[in-house]
Amino acid sequence: AQADQVHNAGEVWSSALWEVRAKLIQRHGYQEGNRRSLQLVTDGMKLSPLNPTFLQARDAIIAAATASGSTADIADIWAGFAIRGMG
């Protein structure tokens, strides 16, 4: 099946975000990892263009992590997206 319908595309995007969240939780523990993933995705949405592609949204989340100054978080984000073919 192709992921060209809105809901199919959302499933691909959400699974990538779950992978990123899992990486952050694995390194920081549940409480802090969950908080960081929510904060970075929210900050990334503020930095992304209108109607972004997956890669533009990914880059915005990475930019948010870069602004936060944590190189380990950036590596986790890249690794999480790479699991779903966006890394």
Side-chain angles (χ1 to χ4, degrees):
Q2 294 181 355
D4 58 353
Q5 295 181 358
V6 175
H7 294 289
N8 288 343
E11 289 177 21
V12 172
W13 179 247
S14 65
S15 69
L17 291 180
W18 275 109
E19 297 293 349
V20 169
R21 178 179 174 265
K23 293 283 184 191
L24 291 169
I25 287 173
Q26 184 178 24
R27 192 164 48 81
H28 292 289
Y30 177 79
Q31 199 76 5
E32 181 62 16
N34 189 56
R35 187 198 67 75
R36 281 184 190 228
S37 65
L38 291 171
Q39 188 64 58
L40 291 171
V41 170
T42 301
D43 291 346
M45 288 176 9
K46 295 175 186 177
L47 296 171
S48 68
L50 295 176
N51 198 21
T53 64
F54 286 166
L55 300 183
Q56 289 171 324
R58 176 206 64 194
D59 291 346
I61 294 168
I62 292 168
T66 301
S68 76
S70 175
T71 56
D73 285 352
I74 296 166
D76 286 343
I77 293 167
W78 274 113
F81 279 113
I83 291 170
R84 297 299 173 179
M86 291 181 246

